[in-house]
Amino acid sequence: MSETTRGFATAQVQSGYVPSAAENTAIVPIHQSNAFEFSSLSHARDLFALKRDGNIYSRTANPTVQVFERRVAELENGIAAAGVASGQAAVAVALLALAKSGEHIVAARQLYGGTVDLLQDTFADWGISVTFVDQDAHDEWRAAVRPETRAFFAESVTNPIAQVLDVPAVSEIAHRAGVPLVIDNTVATPYLQRAKDVGADIVVHSATKFLGGHGTSLGGVVVDLGTYDFGADPERWPQLNEPYARVHGASLLERFGATGSPYITLVKTKYVHDLGPSLSAFNAFQLLQGIETLDLRMARHTSSALEVARYLDAHPSVARVHHPGLQNSPWHDNAARYLPRGTGAVFSFDLHTSGDTEEDFLLVEGFIARLQVVHLVANIGDARSLTAHPASMTHSHLSAEQLLEARICWTTVRLSIGLEDPSDIIDDLAQALASVPVFEGATAS
Ligand SMILES: Cc1ncc(COP(=O)(O)O)c(C=O)c1O
């Protein structure tokens, strides 16, 4: 073996790469590095004290993830964003940065089941209380407010029933109560609705869904839209107005109020740093690839979903279609007003009920088993068309009462319409519906 000036093991880990040498890659590179080299100890000290911007360690910041954050922030017309490992993590850190033990959140009852689990179970363990309200009942939002309330939270278009939130009305109630409105914009995406335009202050996404769009990578993001003034009531927001040890004595508002987002800095430097739900560089790269075609995909998803909904609405085996693009939907007006480009790909329909839960389950199981183009998968926002049975899958932890309040019954079938030819999706549903019995005198449950 020939001699080199340094040992084999040293060359094995260091040769051929000079940290900080930029390559002229046309595509955002995957910066698959846990950590980043400092030019000096002083440089390191300044970065750790948040006195200078720069890369330290990928748990709190990574250059590929930062491109993803800037891109989503711009699409939502926000001022800054934090990329995280999943949508669930995005909801958790977004709300933890607002409400701590002893404080309170008002949230819509119609939230995705995993979010309900987080709020009513884990947040309760941590001493954060949540009041769930019917998102269309504005009086309930108003009545739920307490002195310790710190946020309102809802989805712009709900999963799985596709209820369209009257964001301006809920935003007005939140602002009168002095708290920010946090919107989960996963189903709508910024292509169909920029939540800022209708009154939201903070947006979260499960980027796992339509932003990524291909079912390959989990991710989430929190965006500060820059509309809520955390300095107006300093007593309400000590975490942003009082000296913060991690920036050596200054408050986050003093340090970042003029140049960035104190709120997103708190999300990253405390909650992502301490709890560790970081987005990987590889997943950020995949999500960026997805975002490059977001408008094209959403337009196709949306038009195909409406075509499928119209077909189902006219089918005798279908009791009800929950699609806000249909004239008969209670959310048709909100959809026309707030989502002029359409309401997305996720919606549900109910088969006629037999009146018996177990029989209804078998009915849906038989229907789903016959599908060939539409796949049984616990996901939405894929290029492929997907189906799920919320009552036994995504929303199975909800009580019978909660299911009823969320308008989910045992014959409710969720669809996430993909990018296939719409006629193939409709033909598939048609052949699977052909052997679904229509019960004598049936009504939807
Ligand atoms: C509306 C909504 N928000 C949040 C989540 C959670 O996202 P993730 O699965 O990426 O953690 C989901 C997942 O289905 C969702 O549908």
Side-chain angles (χ1 to χ4, degrees):
M1 192 189 263
S2 58
E3 288 292 316
T4 60
T5 51
R6 50 187 181 179
F8 184 87
T10 306
Q12 189 173 268
V13 294
Q14 296 201 10
S15 69
Y17 183 64
V18 181
S20 91
E23 306 295 340
N24 55 339
T25 53
I27 304 303
V28 181
I30 304 172
H31 290 280
Q32 191 74 13
S33 179
N34 293 347
F36 302 88
E37 190 163 323
F38 307 113
S39 57
S40 66
L41 187 56
S42 305
H43 178 217
R45 183 192 56 191
D46 288 353
L47 290 178
F48 272 83
L50 303 184
K51 285 188 180 155
R52 289 168 68 168
D53 275 347
N55 302 318
I56 301 179
Y57 189 64
S58 285
R59 179 159 20 90
T60 32
N62 170 283
T64 313
V65 173
Q66 284 170 322
V67 178
F68 166 74
E69 292 170 343
R70 287 194 291 267
R71 200 163 291 180
V72 179
E74 182 166 341
L75 292 176
E76 286 285 7
N77 196 17
I79 57 170
V84 288
S86 64
Q88 199 72 6
V91 175
V93 297
L95 295 176
L96 285 173
L98 298 172
K100 58 183 184 306
S101 178
E103 294 179 337
H104 172 250
I105 293 165
V106 188
R109 259 181 212 143
Q110 290 84 353
L111 293 172
Y112 156 68
T115 310
V116 176
D117 290 341
L118 170 73
L119 299 187
Q120 74 176 11
D121 195 352
T122 303
F123 272 28
D125 289 347
W126 294 343
I128 302 165
S129 53
V130 180
T131 303
F132 291 97
V133 298
D134 177 353
Q135 66 177 39
D136 294 329
H138 300 157
D139 286 351
E140 289 190 27
W141 288 100
R142 248 178 243 116
V145 173
R146 307 179 192 165
E148 60 275 17
T149 302
R150 291 294 176 272
F152 275 25
F153 183 61
E155 293 168 19
S156 44
V157 178
T158 66
N159 168 13
I161 298 294
Q163 285 182 229
V164 178
L165 184 72
D166 187 339
V167 185
V170 177
S171 162
E172 199 196 319
I173 302 165
H175 293 162
R176 274 179 196 272
V179 300
L181 174 62
V182 184
I183 287 291
D184 182 333
N185 206 22
T186 299
V187 172
T189 82
Y191 176 70
L192 297 178
Q193 182 178 94
R194 267 190 169 150
K196 182 176 181 173
D197 295 345
V198 279
D201 302 294
I202 292 162
V203 159
V204 296
H205 282 276
S206 168
T208 313
K209 317 299 185 196
F210 295 98
L211 294 182
H214 296 80
T216 63
S217 309
L218 288 177
V221 61
V222 185
V223 187
D224 181 353
L225 301 174
T227 48
Y228 184 81
D229 182 1
F230 286 99
D233 184 358
E235 275 179 27
R236 196 187 285 258
W237 306 108
Q239 63 271 53
L240 294 162
N241 286 276
E242 285 181 4
Y244 183 58
R246 297 176 197 207
V247 292
H248 295 284
S251 78
L252 283 169
L253 266 148
E254 282 161 354
R255 183 61 72 79
F256 298 105
T259 55
S261 164
Y263 167 76
I264 290 295
T265 309
L266 181 68
V267 166
K268 287 188 182 184
T269 61
K270 184 164 180 177
Y271 295 98
V272 180
H273 174 275
D274 291 8
L275 300 174
S278 316
L279 179 60
S280 75
F282 182 75
N283 279 18
F285 172 83
Q286 293 280 88
L287 299 171
L288 280 164
Q289 294 266 297
I291 288 172
E292 289 183 6
T293 55
L294 182 65
D295 61 342
L296 303 174
R297 288 186 292 103
M298 287 313 291
R300 172 71 171 260
H301 279 302
T302 296
S303 68
S304 297
L306 185 57
E307 206 176 320
V308 173
R310 285 186 178 134
Y311 168 79
L312 291 171
D313 198 38
H315 199 289
S317 298
V318 173
R320 184 186 298 120
V321 180
H322 306 275
H323 189 298
L326 299 177
Q327 297 280 351
N328 59 16
S329 163
W331 299 283
H332 185 70
D333 287 350
N334 281 357
R337 204 169 308 144
Y338 306 127
L339 293 147
R341 287 174 159 166
T343 54
V346 179
F347 70 98
S348 296
F349 65 96
D350 303 343
L351 296 172
H352 290 292
T353 179
S354 68
D356 176 82
T357 301
E358 187 55 23
E359 212 171 308
D360 282 350
F361 177 80
L362 294 174
L363 184 82
V364 175
E365 184 167 50
F367 164 72
I368 287 177
R370 289 188 290 277
L371 293 170
Q372 288 167 16
V373 175
V374 182
H375 298 271
L376 177 62
V377 172
N379 197 14
I380 55 172
D382 196 321
R384 284 142 285 270
S385 288
L386 308 178
T387 189
H389 182 234
S392 67
M393 294 171 60
T394 49
H395 291 64
S396 58
H397 299 158
L398 271 58
S399 66
E401 194 191 349
Q402 284 176 308
L403 284 177
L404 199 68
E405 285 167 354
R407 295 175 193 247
I408 296 167
C409 62
W410 277 83
T411 57
T412 301
V413 177
R414 181 185 76 189
L415 293 173
S416 174
I417 298 300
L419 303 176
E420 304 92 344
D421 292 286
S423 57
D424 287 336
I425 303 167
I426 290 173
D427 287 350
D428 193 37
L429 292 166
Q431 62 78 24
L433 282 171
S435 28
V436 168
V438 181
F439 296 102
E440 213 37 49
T443 51
S445 49

